[in-house]
Amino acid sequence: MTQEWAGGRTIRVLDPATVNQIAAGEVVERPVSVVKELVENAIDAGARTIRIDITSVQGGIVAIRVTDDGCGMSPVDAELVFTPHATSKLTAIDDLFKIHTLGFRGEALASIAAVAKVTLVTKPRGSTTVAGTRLVVIGGVQKEKGETGVPEGTSVLVEELFFNTPARKKFQKNLNTELARIHGILEGIFLANPQVSFRFYHNNREQLVTDRTTQPLDSIARIFGNECARELIPVSSDLPFMRISGFISRPALSRKDHDRILIAINDRYVSTAAVTAAVKEGYGTLLPRDRFPVAFLSLAIDTRLVDVNVHPTKKQVRLSKEKEIVEAVREAVHSALSKNDLIPEVVVPRQQNRELESAGIASARTSSGVAEPAVPYGAGARGLPASATPDPGAAIAPALTEPTHTGTVLTDHRLRQTELASGVPPVTAAVPSMEVIGQVGGIYILAAAADGELIIIDQHAAHERIFYEQVSRSMTARHAQELLVPAIIHRPLKDAAILRELIPVLAEEGVVIEEFGSGSFLVRAVPAVMGTCEGPEMIDDLVSDLMSSDPTRPVSDRERITRIISCRSAIKAGTVCTREQCQRIVNQLRATQSPFTCPHGRPTMVRFSRAKLDEMFKRT
Ligand code: ADP
Ligand code: MG
């Protein structure tokens, strides 16, 4: 920082302590980085059991200790670990391309020691002496060295983190945020390393524990609970350059964020936006756009295609063939989903069971912990005709109502539209055949499947799915059909600009619109699949939907239009249907490729298995 110039020197080589502190900033950003590095070292040391202890006071984390039963270190090696770039894992740059250890840069311990007080206790495996080595390093300077009686393995205690870098210390978020980050990273590391038994304690209270196992699902159940594990289906795919294995959730289990999409590449838990996005894309319309699945995927990729040396924290990786890898993941997820029965099962939580018992009633609802209803029925409700809006007085309205004549005719017409021959491949998904019992509240279809199962189907969601597949798959369904009388719609000027741009896209979908000037548009034709019975209000609604739908959503205009047309044309919630009509909906739904959700990702059906019914009636 000196300003001298005249003949003096302004450039100087930094002393090693300063260099280390600067480098430390990259590796050790916050407490969680310390935890990650120490645990990864323990894994690299071949530990079978690793214990993590976090100690905190109100102000924050005061100590991090990681203890392992791994290979340990000789006294000579122990002293070396605090020297920058001292590593036992890499000797030449070529080794980088065949890295099988989590560490290799030899930076972590030196960096941590540069900004904290580190106490290292270690004894090599198979050592014949009782004593091991004990070293204390503060701010990069060795303060103590001695012997102490220890078991084989290594224990690293980190205290006074960032004591000499106040800015970094102040920058720490509050304690809970830091603990949450530690939790998050440990979840990922634990899952990626089922061969290790982990014990994580905070202030001596057990937080997260896994046992050595060859069954990854066991670890998932330990960490995320049985309810989560139950909703998972296996994924596996073998390609010349990569093997994909792991588990993903049925659509019934989804979350608001993608925090539970955990990806390990070559047993290293990494964060990779591209692969995470591919997992979500594999769900297609099985999930609403703002919901994310739970997924635990392990990718074994040819090490030559993976560069982990992107950042000192090694949390990011650079993938050659990224496009192929991403596409393979999407495809593996997609195919796993299409192979499985995805009808969510109704779960009565035990706790609630007891409450119900004491109240003397039996009722069921999906356990909120498992299947959060993805999206409230907002979109469906918009389509409700005024007469069908549930009014409080009608809460106990008769469940089975007689359909009106005009209603039946209209429904028949709509069902005929979706029975268009379309050269669709036969039923692929695993929906059981079922017999309709009747309709409830003009919304739900009750049906019985072979083995005493009760299946409840949302008629609007189901028909929306049917429509959607018709429209997306069949060109004829999208053919424009001219209206007998062209309809005129008026839009505010701000909409007009957007609509103008959409005219060509709409035309491809069979909606033929011409601009008339000053916010007026003439609708000449609608897709054949919508039929001619729709009035101009319906088209106006369609345009409103188009205007109001979120332009940032990551689907194409065409996809948006298809979804809106399907939603608008499908039989509304609140439309009373005959049993025969209900049966037709069910049959048509079974012939779709993705029968389990509507195009917005909401479920089309839920099931009460026979076993579940028996359990609820205490027949077990
Ligand atoms: P890296 O892991 O990149 O090699 P580190 O600074 O994390 O760098 O560790 C330096 C070296 O210290 C490692 O290469 C390893 O030989 C040794 N080491 C660190 N932690 C342990 C441990 N828990 N058990 C045995 N050896 C360890
Ligand atoms: Mg390391």
Side-chain angles (χ1 to χ4, degrees):
M1 298 293 153
T2 38
Q3 292 299 313
E4 51 190 302
W5 163 241
R9 306 190 49 159
T10 47
I11 299 181
R12 58 192 59 199
V13 177
L14 294 171
D15 65 84
T18 312
V19 171
N20 271 350
Q21 272 197 27
I22 292 171
E26 284 198 282
V27 186
V28 199
E29 251 181 316
R30 46 195 344 139
V32 65
S33 340
V34 173
V35 175
K36 172 178 180 290
E37 293 298 335
L38 296 184
V39 174
E40 289 190 343
N41 277 349
I43 295 170
D44 283 345
R48 294 164 62 95
T49 306
I50 299 173
R51 179 180 164 127
I52 301 113
D53 278 287
I54 306 288
T55 311
S56 72
V57 295
Q58 219 144 51
I61 291 170
V62 292
I64 297 167
R65 185 203 298 268
V66 175
T67 309
D68 67 62
D69 59 359
C71 65
M73 282 172 273
S74 68
V76 183
D77 279 351
E79 259 186 296
L80 254 182
V81 300
F82 297 107
T83 313
H85 316 299
T87 178
S88 56
K89 304 168 193 173
L90 188 79
T91 46
I93 190 70
D94 289 345
D95 296 348
L96 254 183
F97 301 104
K98 29 186 200 271
I99 279 292
H100 290 286
T101 51
L102 296 167
F104 54 81
R105 297 170 58 120
E107 281 176 331
L109 284 175
S111 302
I112 295 168
V115 292
K117 171 183 177 190
V118 177
T119 308
L120 170 78
V121 178
T122 186
K123 188 168 84 174
R125 237 181 228 160
S127 157
T128 46
T129 59
V130 182
T133 311
R134 182 174 183 277
L135 289 172
V136 180
V137 179
I138 302 178
V141 182
Q142 186 172 310
K143 297 287 180 181
E144 285 176 44
K145 179 180 179 195
E147 287 192 343
T148 180
V150 281
E152 291 174 11
T154 303
S155 165
V156 181
L157 169 66
V158 176
E159 298 162 292
E160 297 169 36
L161 185 60
F162 303 126
F163 77 97
N164 53 357
T165 51
R168 185 65 49 124
K169 188 167 185 154
K170 260 219 316 268
F171 168 69
Q172 303 308 310
K173 292 263 169 41
N174 69 47
L175 175 63
N176 285 336
T177 315
E178 297 303 328
L179 288 172
R181 281 173 191 265
I182 291 172
H183 242 274
I185 202 128
L186 289 179
E187 285 171 357
I189 294 178
F190 290 11
L191 282 177
N193 295 279
Q195 80 284 5
V196 180
S197 155
F198 290 98
R199 306 255 171 286
F200 166 35
Y201 290 83
H202 172 221
N203 287 348
N204 285 322
R205 293 243 303 271
E206 188 180 291
Q207 302 292 312
L208 219 55
V209 170
T210 61
D211 295 318
R212 281 166 66 83
T213 173
T214 49
Q215 302 296 323
L217 205 51
D218 292 347
S219 304
I220 295 173
R222 273 308 273 276
I223 299 173
F224 298 108
N226 288 324
E227 286 79 19
C228 170
R230 216 179 293 132
E231 283 298 329
L232 299 178
I233 55 177
V235 177
S236 92
S237 168
D238 250 312
L239 294 138
F241 57 93
M242 166 167 77
R243 208 168 65 237
I244 305 173
S245 60
F247 296 88
I248 57 170
S249 58
R250 294 196 175 86
L253 174 62
S254 69
R255 295 167 51 84
K256 278 199 265 317
D257 54 48
H258 50 69
D259 289 3
R260 283 274 150 86
I261 301 180
L262 302 184
I263 311 289
I265 293 182
N266 297 341
D267 298 328
R268 179 194 304 277
Y269 164 58
V270 293
S271 76
T272 146
V275 178
T276 303
V279 172
K280 161 85 175 152
E281 277 162 30
Y283 280 73
T285 55
L286 284 172
L287 283 176
R289 71 195 148 83
D290 54 352
R291 301 291 299 184
F292 296 87
V294 171
F296 310 101
L297 291 187
S298 172
L299 315 187
I301 307 179
D302 182 340
T303 47
R304 284 166 306 185
L305 299 178
V306 185
D307 183 0
V308 280
N309 193 27
V310 178
H311 188 265
T313 61
K314 301 174 285 265
K315 183 86 203 292
Q316 266 105 41
V317 289
R318 194 176 292 131
L319 301 170
S320 326
K321 284 204 186 199
E322 182 175 272
K323 249 180 75 188
E324 288 88 336
I325 291 171
V326 158
E327 180 51 30
V329 168
R330 199 194 59 76
E331 185 48 41
V333 167
H334 179 77
S335 100
L337 288 165
S338 57
K339 275 195 241 116
N340 279 273
D341 171 353
L342 305 176
I343 310 176
E345 157 117 44
V346 172
V347 180
V348 184
R350 306 230 160 259
Q351 167 72 26
Q352 197 202 353
N353 232 340
R354 252 176 271 125
E355 282 166 23
L356 291 171
E357 252 166 56
S358 60
I361 44 164
S363 155
R365 56 153 213 203
T366 42
S367 131
S368 54
V370 183
E372 291 174 55
V375 172
Y377 248 89
R382 261 195 288 144
L384 278 181
S387 60
T389 327
D391 81 82
I396 324 169
L400 299 171
T401 325
E402 281 300 307
T404 62
H405 177 67
T406 45
T408 308
V409 171
L410 195 65
T411 304
D412 260 345
H413 174 84
R414 290 204 156 105
L415 286 173
R416 216 173 313 118
Q417 296 296 339
T418 43
E419 263 154 17
L420 292 175
S422 54
V424 174
V427 186
T428 50
V431 186
S433 83
M434 36 184 145
E435 197 187 328
V436 168
I437 301 166
Q439 191 201 32
V440 184
I443 296 178
Y444 298 113
I445 298 169
L446 302 190
D451 35 9
E453 242 181 11
L454 174 65
I455 297 180
I456 305 181
I457 296 149
D458 179 314
Q459 117 197 341
H460 172 73
H463 201 226
E464 204 178 348
R465 162 57 66 187
I466 298 162
F467 233 105
Y468 173 79
E469 292 204 2
Q470 284 278 351
V471 178
S472 3
R473 275 201 252 118
S474 122
M475 279 311 288
T476 29
R478 270 187 280 135
H479 272 175
Q481 178 168 330
E482 276 200 32
L483 294 172
L484 291 178
V485 185
I488 295 176
I489 52 175
H490 304 277
R491 305 298 307 181
L493 282 177
K494 67 173 170 41
D495 286 4
I498 307 175
L499 189 51
R500 191 176 305 132
E501 270 175 36
L502 286 174
I503 284 178
V505 196
L506 280 164
E508 270 171 47
E509 301 309 303
V511 184
V512 180
I513 298 185
E514 268 168 38
E515 188 164 5
F516 219 49
S518 56
S520 294
F521 292 84
L522 197 63
V523 183
R524 289 202 175 278
V526 296
V529 73
M530 282 175 92
T532 42
C533 58
E534 308 295 353
E537 320 83 62
M538 148 70 162
I539 293 148
D540 201 31
D541 285 349
L542 190 149
V543 175
S544 296
D545 282 352
L546 263 177
M547 297 298 136
S548 63
S549 51
D550 176 6
T552 62
R553 67 160 70 184
V555 297
S556 64
D557 284 338
R558 186 181 153 193
E559 174 71 16
R560 271 165 68 206
I561 293 167
T562 307
R563 288 185 195 175
I564 293 169
I565 290 177
S566 313
C567 182
R568 282 290 166 191
S569 314
I571 293 169
K572 305 285 180 288
T575 306
V576 182
C577 297
T578 65
R579 204 164 102 175
E580 189 266 328
Q581 289 173 334
C582 292
Q583 188 69 54
R584 278 164 78 187
I585 297 177
V586 170
N587 295 347
Q588 290 181 16
L589 181 65
R590 288 188 65 225
T592 61
Q593 290 200 315
S594 264
F596 306 105
T597 57
C598 79
H600 307 290
R602 289 186 297 265
T604 53
M605 49 186 143
V606 297
R607 67 141 54 101
F608 290 77
S609 69
R610 173 61 195 269
K612 201 41 95 182
L613 289 170
D614 287 349
E615 189 189 319
M616 287 159 69
F617 285 104
K618 307 281 174 274
R619 281 185 166 274
T620 41

